[in-house]
Each structure stands twice: as structure tokens, then as C-alpha cells.
Amino acid sequence: MFLTRFRFNTARIGARRLLSSPQRLHAAVMFAFAEPPPQGDGGPRVLWRIDRNGRAETYLYLVSPAEPDLTHLVEEAGWPETGRWQTYDYEPLLSRLAKGDTWAFRLTANPVHSIRRKADEPTKVTAHVGWRHQMDWLLQRQEKAGFAVLEKEPEQRLQTELDHYDLTVHDRRQLEFTKPGQRKPVTLVTVTFDGRLQVTDPEAFRRTLTVGLGRAKAYGCGLMTLAKG
């Protein structure tokens, strides 16, 4: 597995065009591989995420089974003369994950739930729009995903139960695009989680980092990255 970071030159039209469409950006990410990586077979897959750290500081993070070649992105949306990308071997970090490890993390996800208005109607997948429901969506999945979100120190807590966790929800976005050959647009609501966690099941957690968490993985959701903290 490999972890890659690429910085967009947001002054360029090509960068803005890609960043405005998850569909185009997904295609650009997949063009980074000479042989199409496996997708949707239950094993490690290509995951990606856009981080906007400032007006002119936008990064693509990419986790993949094969090492990517982002020459086309540099030429279209980067700095062709001076810009590159950084790719790191992800296996050393994955292999040393151990129960009890603590990490800071970031995850962009598509928190949804299934609803039914009437008993005889089929269920419909609907986005969570409130931050409390979005936070609860992640907390409901943490055990199976091999981690536990850490709790705040007692003096830092507010009155509500969800405020006990070292977790924030931000950068809510509603994305709309049309898939090739379809007329009806696809609408996705995405949010970014920042927080601190403890590894509870290293094998399950490695799977979370390489397979992703939640839906809409092809469109920039599901990739969790770690940092010391």
C-alpha cells in the first residue's frame, strides 16, 4: 500500500475544474494507474480525499495498492516546472499498528441512514444533516472499524453526551454531479471528522485504513489518515 499527497495549484483553471466535480476527479485519480486497481472486491482499494487547509492550500490524499503516477495532474492542475507529489510506503505504518496506540485522525465521509416513511414503502438512503447525528454515525461504526474515539478530559466536557468525545465535525459540503449516461444528478453530503482515537483491533483498523469507511468511496469519502497526537 502507498500513501500519496499532491498539492493543487488552485490558480489554474484545470485545478478548479477538477475540484468542482467529484466525477472528474475520480477519473483523474484512476488515470494514475497503468493497470486499473481492484475496486469493490472487499480488499484494499484506491481511496482519496481533498483537504482544504487554506484558500491556496488544497491537497489530494491518496491511498492505493499500487504506486500512482500523477504526472497528468501536475501538468493539468499543479506546477509543471517545479511541482511534484510525495508518495510513501504505507506498509511500515500499517504493520506496526498495535492495540492501545493513540492517533490523531482525519476522515471525510458520507454519513447516511435508511428511512421509511410508511411501513409498505422501500427504505431510502438519506444523508444525516445535523452534526450530532453525523457524529453519532461515526461512533456507531468505531467498534467494527477497530478503533475507539477518545473522550475529553472531564473539565473539557460540555453537558451533552456527544460533547464528551475528542471529535469535531466540519467542512460540510453538498456535492451534485451527473454520472455518464444518466440524466438524474447524484447528490452527496460530505463532512470531515477531526479527532483522536485509540486502536482497539489492529487487524480491523488496518482494513479500515485500506478499504475505507462508509459510502461514496469513489467520490472522495472513506479515507482516514493518521498523525501523531
Side-chain angles (χ1 to χ4, degrees):
M1 295 297 293
F2 296 88
L3 173 65
T4 300
R5 186 177 77 161
F6 166 78
R7 184 177 178 183
F8 284 95
N9 181 351
T10 54
R12 300 190 65 185
I13 293 175
R16 297 197 297 270
R17 180 175 177 270
L18 287 171
L19 291 168
S20 69
S21 170
Q23 182 74 25
R24 293 193 191 105
L25 194 45
H26 169 68
V29 165
M30 300 309 291
F31 286 152
F33 306 96
E35 298 295 332
Q39 296 286 87
D41 64 350
R45 58 175 292 158
V46 176
L47 300 168
W48 60 272
R49 186 183 77 222
I50 297 297
D51 280 10
R52 296 170 174 84
N53 300 328
R55 185 174 180 181
E57 194 173 330
T58 301
Y59 289 94
L60 168 70
Y61 284 88
L62 176 64
V63 165
S64 55
E67 186 171 359
D69 182 341
L70 301 185
T71 303
H72 62 300
L73 279 179
V74 173
E75 293 174 346
E76 181 180 359
W79 286 266
E81 296 297 326
T82 60
R84 291 293 297 168
W85 63 91
Q86 299 84 41
T87 295
Y88 308 93
D89 185 355
Y90 208 21
E91 290 298 337
L93 184 146
L94 294 173
S95 63
R96 71 171 182 264
L97 290 172
K99 187 175 181 178
D101 288 351
T102 58
W103 297 89
F105 73 90
R106 173 168 288 183
L107 166 71
T108 293
N110 170 225
V112 297
H113 63 300
S114 296
I115 62 171
R116 178 187 285 116
R117 293 182 180 180
K118 298 179 180 179
D120 58 346
E121 287 184 347
T123 58
K124 179 181 179 181
V125 176
T126 304
H128 284 302
V129 294
W131 71 267
R132 294 181 186 277
H133 290 107
Q134 292 163 348
M135 187 179 290
D136 196 46
W137 174 91
L138 180 62
L139 295 173
Q140 290 172 357
R141 285 157 179 77
Q142 60 181 345
E143 182 178 359
K144 185 176 180 180
F147 67 90
V149 177
L150 294 175
E151 296 188 8
K152 297 177 181 178
E153 296 297 328
E155 61 272 14
Q156 297 176 322
R157 299 175 184 175
L158 299 179
Q159 295 299 315
T160 62
E161 182 179 350
L162 290 178
D163 286 322
H164 289 190
Y165 293 94
D166 196 344
L167 180 65
T168 60
V169 184
H170 62 98
D171 198 25
R172 181 186 182 278
R173 293 177 181 271
Q174 182 166 310
L175 310 176
E176 188 172 296
F177 57 94
T178 304
K179 292 183 178 181
Q182 296 186 6
R183 292 184 177 181
K184 188 176 180 180
V186 176
T187 301
L188 296 176
V189 173
T190 69
V191 296
T192 297
F193 298 95
D194 283 332
R196 296 177 64 245
L197 60 77
Q198 184 174 63
V199 180
T200 57
D201 182 336
E203 183 176 351
F205 191 51
R206 279 189 284 269
R207 176 177 171 80
T208 297
L209 296 177
T210 57
V211 176
L213 188 62
R215 300 166 64 98
K217 297 182 182 73
Y219 302 112
C221 296
L223 171 57
M224 177 182 285
T225 54
L226 306 177
K228 294 181 179 178

